[in-house]
Amino acid sequence: MTTRTAAEFIPPVHDVPRLAAAVQTCRGCGLYENATQAVFGSGPAAARMMLVGEQPGDREDLAGEPFVGPAGRLLDKAIDEAGLERAPLYLTNAVKHFKFVASERGKRRIHKTPSRTEVVACRPWLFAELEAVEPQVVVLLGATAAKALMGSDFRVTAHRGEALRLPALDGIPATVRDAAVVATIHPSAVLRGPSDAREESFRSLVADLRLAGDLLPA
Ligand code: URA
Ligand code: SF4
């Protein structure tokens, strides 16, 4: 049996509106079954900077837009403090459907980290977005996004504050070979971390976003 992936659902022309429409038909892994809808990337198709999160959360699954829940609010604040604006950025996720488990009483949907198989299955969408948007700077928010593009051995903590490049990974378009890459923590990690460490981890996220801004060609 061949491994299922999103590849066969990707339309031949990689522009953002076509991709965003086609992603709703994707059956590249099992995650579409329980989610409300796929959540594609959002932002200008000619954005110079792309931010990649993990997967939509509960709020994003309902709204159909990335980063509109609590993690998105924290990210907005970090973007602002880094001297950037959200509107010109293209925001997306490594995985396009929300993975969750029901809480004990079944009232809440609790985020579950996508498996490596699901990340790899969904990755053709991210490759297609990279090709369509051709960002000059890519920010990887958290381990899932970082491992999706940098390889499964990649450790965010070992590479904070560095200007990286995308590896020559099968599927990464040649047109983004020169893009600068910054790997940082996920905004949810700031929210989930111990409260006495929150300010410091928020500051470190802001510093990494500032670096990403500085890496944009003048
Ligand atoms: N967390 C993510 O990684 N992405 C979202 O869109 C929302 C929360
Ligand atoms: Fe397709 Fe990705 Fe959704 Fe899986 S998570 S069904 S690969 S869009």
Side-chain angles (χ1 to χ4, degrees), residues 5 14 32 36 84 97 103 125 133 149 207:
T5 83
H14 296 174
Y32 72 91
T36 308
L84 299 169
H97 278 105
S103 64
W125 292 113
V133 178
L149 290 183

Side-chain angles (χ1 to χ4, degrees), residues 48-51 75-89 91 137 139 141 182 205-216:
R48 300 205 299 151
M49 195 188 296
M50 180 185 287
L51 271 57
L75 180 61
D76 283 349
K77 201 165 149 237
I79 288 169
D80 183 58
E81 296 215 10
L84 299 169
E85 280 179 80
R86 172 159 168 163
L89 306 178
L91 265 58
V137 175
V139 180
L141 299 167
V182 174
L205 173 61
V206 170
D208 289 338
L209 290 170
R210 195 180 289 280
L211 166 66
D214 291 344
L215 291 170
L216 278 174

Side-chain angles (χ1 to χ4, degrees), residues 5-6 23 26-32 38 95-97 118 121-122 125:
T5 83
V23 76
C26 186
R27 306 286 182 261
C29 76
L31 292 183
Y32 72 91
V95 167
K96 310 308 193 213
H97 278 105
E118 289 154 348
C122 207
W125 292 113

Side-chain angles (χ1 to χ4, degrees), residues 53-57 60 66-67 71 93 186:
E54 181 188 73
Q55 62 167 355
E60 290 79 15
F67 288 108
N93 285 300
H186 192 285

